[in-house]
Amino acid sequence: MKDIANKIKAIAQDLLEKGEVSLFMGWEQGEFEFQTRPFFARTSQDAEKLIFNEYSIHNLANALLKFRDGQEKIGLVVKGCDSRGIVRLLEDLQFKRERLYIVGVCCPGLKDPLEAARAHSGFNPQAAPAPLAAKCRSCLQPNPVIYDQLLGEEQAPRSEGERYAQVHEIEKMSADERYRFFEEMLSPCVRCYGCRQACVACNCRTCIFDETKPQWVGRETSASDNFMYHLVKALHMAGRCVECGECERVCPVNIPLMLINQKLIKDVNQFYGPYEAGLNYVEGAKPPLSVYKENDPDDFH
Amino acid sequence: MKILSKQKLTAAFDQLAEKAELLVPMQKGATSAFLPWPEFEPGRDELRLEALNVDKPPKDAVLPQTERMYKFSASGPEVAVQEVYEISSPRIVFGIRPCDFRGIECLDQVFLTRGYADGFYQSRRDNTVFIAQACYQPGPNCFCNAMGVDPVKPQADVTIHDLGDGYAWEPLTPKGEETTEMISDLLQEKKADLPEVKPFTRQVAYAGLAEKLKDLFEHPIWEKLSDPCQNCGICTYSCPTCYCFDIQVKSFGEAGYRFRCWDSCMYREYTLMAGGHNPREASRERFRNRFLHKLQFFQERYGQPLCIGCGRCLIVCPAGISIVNIMQELKEVE
């Protein structure tokens, strides 16, 4: 990883010095070993600070949204999952390909700095960080799917048992059992919208949850309002989630959000597939459920 | 000195829970919080009195995340308020840390001083007893001392001190004396030495910062500091002092109720005004407001910062943003 980090630094310095990008997104070292944080270098001097290590887990494709209204060219580092996020942004017409210089890193699987921070905090004496972040233990695409330059050696996909094992378990439940399962799962939600903000597919300019006239989803932290929030969010993800796992990773109350996304991935695959979101960028291509045709054989309701 | 042996702790909880709603620090599922003692399931849940602190701040004991205010019904142009929900049932919060108790004192300033007392807050607050647990071993993210908190002398109703096999029990207010009465049969009078306070591992540069910030509103450093921030509300909802709320209504036909709920200055919608103008449209503007409120505006109005050094935001921020590092950078910037 040291080698990758040095290459990233050199690439960024070169791009910034030549003026080919006006901003380069990577990571910098925080106070603690695990405290790696997103960092945007604007000069080659800034780029001195760039690092890449086992905690460089954040999906920087999401950070691009801060710059979607600009014209400047931006360089950034992406891992396999993050690169699918770039495809998400391109397909959703949020960014133009020519505004990006993409440094892809074949990802060996990383650690979760949040898990490490919790273990280090003294708040939970029993917490022990896992050697690989949950989102990295099952990874379909560790190698970037879109890039201008590729670093590191190609990695094999990783999996923990059958891909949809947990989804199958829930599908087998009775309606009542399922209701209780989701009630228990979603009740702790504090509606901090961390999952929305961490999501590269959540790129609507005005989010439905911020609409007040009309207010589509209530702001109480009750089971019903929480259900509505997560249901609506989930359905907006159908065919669009790139499985970067950031929503679940950042959740401060540890809701297993990827379970919901997995169900949608499975269903979209089954009904409209084979399809995996963001694996292959073809200009002008649209993901399933994002196209409306007047001669659609089904009614729109 | 009064001592509560740890062997008698659950008996004390049972006795207190008979008189009031008793909230204790507990790990339930994936998170820890102050939760009602009767909900404690042995074998499944765990008490967290020995841990440094709990994940969720205790502010919802006096400022619930969602709080119904009143119920109404309309008939034609007439609206009748049917029921006002001012909660005044007795409640005891057991084992709150001195930093978090300072957080409650900050909320008191906001909701009870400067000419207006908030009835909903007041009725909860007046009927809540805080039993604080002194901190002798600061954790790696603790910096309460730099924010003006004395970790072993909280001004709560009762302070308890962990002596290993028991707690020294020190009532400080009439409410605290009353609570002590409820378990007087379990307390023993004994001589005991209080532990020594371990040194803090962090140095924080707050002194003088509020004054300096007055000239930094337009400084370009805010752009750089806010770069990693994704503008979620995790820090604000994990913070024991963030008190912003919104008042909303739920109606069904002609009847409904009004409630307030926590809000977050990190959200775009928070400052969205009628007519569509948003004075804090950019991420860095919302970010700047949060830190200026904590470190400058509150200091100017109430003479103390709105950060109490509990360290929660340093642990939960998805982007690894640290208010300690931010204070340092602001201190150093020219």
Side-chain angles (χ1 to χ4, degrees):
Chain A
M1 281 210 204
K2 258 256 136 64
D3 183 42
I4 292 175
N6 289 335
K7 283 182 181 151
I8 288 172
K9 199 186 286 187
I11 294 167
Q13 282 178 325
D14 186 50
L15 290 171
L16 286 161
E17 258 163 41
K18 288 185 184 148
E20 283 179 28
V21 300
S22 41
L23 188 82
F24 190 94
M25 294 177 172
W27 293 267
E28 69 171 337
Q29 184 63 52
E31 199 171 351
F32 300 114
E33 184 213 352
F34 54 80
Q35 208 172 34
T36 295
R37 80 179 143 239
F39 175 68
F40 307 165
R42 291 178 173 84
T43 62
S44 62
Q45 207 182 350
D46 285 350
E48 277 295 325
K49 286 194 193 161
L50 285 168
I51 59 159
F52 183 85
N53 64 23
E54 55 191 349
Y55 291 106
S56 299
I57 201 161
H58 320 78
N59 183 349
L60 297 177
N62 179 50
L64 284 172
L65 287 170
K66 281 191 177 180
F67 301 92
R68 66 175 147 189
D69 292 328
Q71 301 291 326
E72 72 272 54
K73 190 161 175 172
I74 297 173
L76 80 164
V77 184
V78 295
K79 309 173 291 289
C81 53
D82 312 337
S83 74
R84 295 173 68 187
I86 300 266
V87 175
R88 169 85 291 110
L89 292 177
L90 297 175
E91 282 181 349
D92 291 351
L93 306 177
Q94 296 303 309
F95 248 86
K96 291 213 166 79
R97 177 67 180 91
E98 56 268 29
R99 279 189 66 201
L100 300 173
Y101 188 95
I102 306 166
V103 180
V105 175
C106 297
C107 177
L110 303 177
K111 292 181 179 176
D112 180 0
L114 282 171
E115 217 174 63
R118 280 187 195 129
H120 172 257
S121 70
F123 280 34
N124 185 346
Q126 276 118 43
L132 266 193
K135 73 178 203 177
C136 299
R137 294 201 288 271
S138 295
C139 173
L140 201 68
Q141 188 61 45
N143 306 311
V145 297
I146 186 168
Y147 51 82
D148 294 295
Q149 222 178 116
L150 190 66
L151 304 177
E153 275 170 40
E154 208 159 290
Q155 302 284 325
R158 289 174 291 275
S159 68
E160 269 191 319
E162 201 256 312
R163 188 177 179 194
Y164 299 117
Q166 250 190 311
V167 176
H168 289 306
E169 287 296 308
I170 294 163
E171 284 172 340
K172 273 188 242 156
M173 291 179 183
S174 70
D176 284 349
E177 283 172 333
R178 221 169 16 236
Y179 185 88
R180 277 196 298 277
F181 175 83
F182 281 109
E183 192 177 31
E184 194 167 321
M185 169 174 157
L186 299 175
S187 292
C189 175
V190 291
R191 304 283 291 280
C192 64
Y193 301 143
C195 49
R196 173 185 76 178
Q197 296 303 107
C199 178
V200 68
C202 277
N203 54 41
C204 291
R205 270 174 198 278
T206 303
C207 172
I208 182 171
F209 307 118
D210 289 339
E211 293 259 20
T212 51
K213 271 185 173 177
Q215 187 180 47
W216 301 99
V217 178
R219 282 281 292 274
E220 284 179 292
T221 36
S222 60
S224 66
D225 283 359
N226 284 0
F227 271 40
M228 268 307 274
Y229 168 63
H230 287 285
L231 265 176
V232 173
K233 183 174 180 296
L235 291 172
H236 282 185
M237 289 301 129
R240 306 180 62 248
C241 170
V242 295
E243 281 186 279
C244 75
E246 281 292 272
C247 53
E248 181 170 309
R249 188 183 73 82
V250 304
C251 178
V253 291
N254 298 308
I255 299 175
L257 291 159
M258 282 306 289
L259 196 53
I260 303 177
N261 290 332
Q262 289 243 306
K263 164 70 176 163
L264 291 159
I265 291 165
K266 176 175 164 286
D267 283 359
V268 167
N269 208 1
Q270 190 179 332
F271 297 130
Y272 310 101
Y275 183 76
E276 295 289 349
L279 271 196
N280 185 19
Y281 178 59
V282 180
E283 208 176 332
K286 292 282 174 201
L289 299 172
S290 66
V291 183
Y292 173 69
K293 287 188 186 137
E294 267 181 45
N295 59 355
D296 196 293
D298 288 331
D299 285 337
F300 183 74
H301 58 77
Chain B
M1 195 177 284
K2 291 189 175 66
I3 309 282
L4 175 66
S5 152
K6 285 190 182 172
Q7 283 168 347
K8 292 183 180 163
L9 189 64
T10 53
F13 284 174
D14 289 338
Q15 271 172 241
L16 292 172
E18 272 175 34
K19 308 270 187 190
E21 186 186 8
L22 177 68
L23 303 173
V24 299
M26 195 189 288
Q27 180 86 31
K28 209 175 191 42
T31 47
S32 56
F34 285 88
L35 297 169
W37 171 240
E39 286 175 21
F40 181 77
E41 293 176 60
R44 198 175 165 194
D45 305 334
E46 271 178 77
L47 272 182
R48 281 277 178 260
L49 277 164
E50 316 260 319
L52 184 67
N53 212 334
V54 290
D55 300 331
K56 279 186 156 185
K59 65 182 172 187
D60 57 359
V62 282
L63 184 69
Q65 179 158 14
T66 305
E67 178 178 38
R68 282 194 197 191
M69 302 169 82
Y70 58 84
K71 203 161 91 177
F72 62 85
S73 69
S75 115
E78 302 294 314
V79 179
V81 172
Q82 287 165 328
E83 198 178 347
V84 177
Y85 305 99
E86 281 186 2
I87 305 297
S88 58
S89 48
R91 185 180 284 133
I92 299 169
V93 180
F94 191 99
I96 180 174
R97 291 293 185 178
C99 54
D100 283 347
F101 185 69
R102 171 59 60 85
I104 302 288
E105 290 175 320
C106 290
L107 302 184
D108 289 347
Q109 292 284 338
V110 174
F111 288 97
L112 301 176
T113 71
R114 304 300 192 275
Y116 180 76
D118 179 288
F120 300 97
Y121 181 88
Q122 179 133 46
S123 83
R124 280 179 196 271
R125 180 70 177 91
D126 286 350
N127 293 290
T128 303
V129 172
F130 286 98
I131 299 173
Q133 185 184 189
C135 263
Y136 289 91
Q137 293 196 44
N141 297 302
C142 291
F143 56 102
C144 71
N145 62 334
M147 308 317 284
V149 177
D150 184 333
V152 297
K153 289 199 178 74
Q155 298 302 303
D157 298 303
V158 177
T159 300
I160 59 171
H161 306 261
D162 193 340
L163 304 172
D165 50 1
Y167 294 101
W169 183 281
E170 188 188 0
L172 297 166
T173 66
K175 266 157 84 179
E177 296 283 359
E178 258 174 58
T179 311
T180 307
E181 269 311 298
M182 296 175 193
I183 55 159
S184 56
D185 56 320
L186 301 173
L187 297 171
Q188 285 173 296
E189 199 65 46
K190 259 201 275 188
K191 261 184 91 107
D193 292 322
L194 295 180
E196 294 234 335
V197 190
K198 295 256 167 63
F200 280 76
T201 53
R202 270 175 185 278
Q203 302 301 318
V204 180
Y206 182 64
L209 186 59
E211 194 59 32
K212 183 178 180 186
L213 285 172
K214 286 180 184 167
D215 300 322
L216 295 185
F217 191 78
E218 301 287 0
H219 199 283
I221 192 170
W222 292 110
E223 172 106 51
K224 178 178 155 246
L225 293 176
S226 68
D227 273 345
C229 176
Q230 61 179 36
N231 284 109
C232 65
I234 292 179
C235 54
T236 58
Y237 287 179
S238 305
C239 177
T241 67
C242 274
Y243 56 80
C244 287
F245 61 85
D246 196 2
I247 294 179
Q248 303 212 352
V249 69
K250 252 197 193 156
S251 54
F252 311 91
E254 299 288 281
Y257 57 88
R258 203 164 266 279
F259 64 95
R260 67 175 168 196
C261 54
W262 293 353
D263 204 350
S264 171
C265 56
M266 286 287 136
Y267 302 158
R268 191 179 159 271
E269 181 249 334
Y270 176 87
T271 39
L272 186 64
M273 298 163 104
H277 175 61
N278 196 335
R280 293 188 210 130
E281 186 66 60
S283 160
R284 68 174 173 280
E285 291 157 354
R286 305 203 278 278
F287 181 93
R288 174 180 63 189
N289 178 73
R290 178 162 196 271
F291 288 96
L292 288 183
H293 188 196
K294 296 262 164 239
L295 305 172
Q296 181 198 342
F297 306 153
F298 200 84
Q299 178 80 40
E300 285 170 358
R301 188 166 163 82
Y302 298 105
Q304 66 188 83
L306 191 62
C307 169
I308 44 99
C310 72
R312 284 190 182 84
C313 56
L314 281 66
I315 301 161
V316 295
C317 175
I321 294 170
S322 153
I323 190 170
V324 175
N325 298 161
I326 286 176
M327 281 193 259
Q328 195 56 42
E329 292 210 36
L330 289 168
K331 195 91 185 207
E332 286 166 10
V333 81
E334 281 168 22

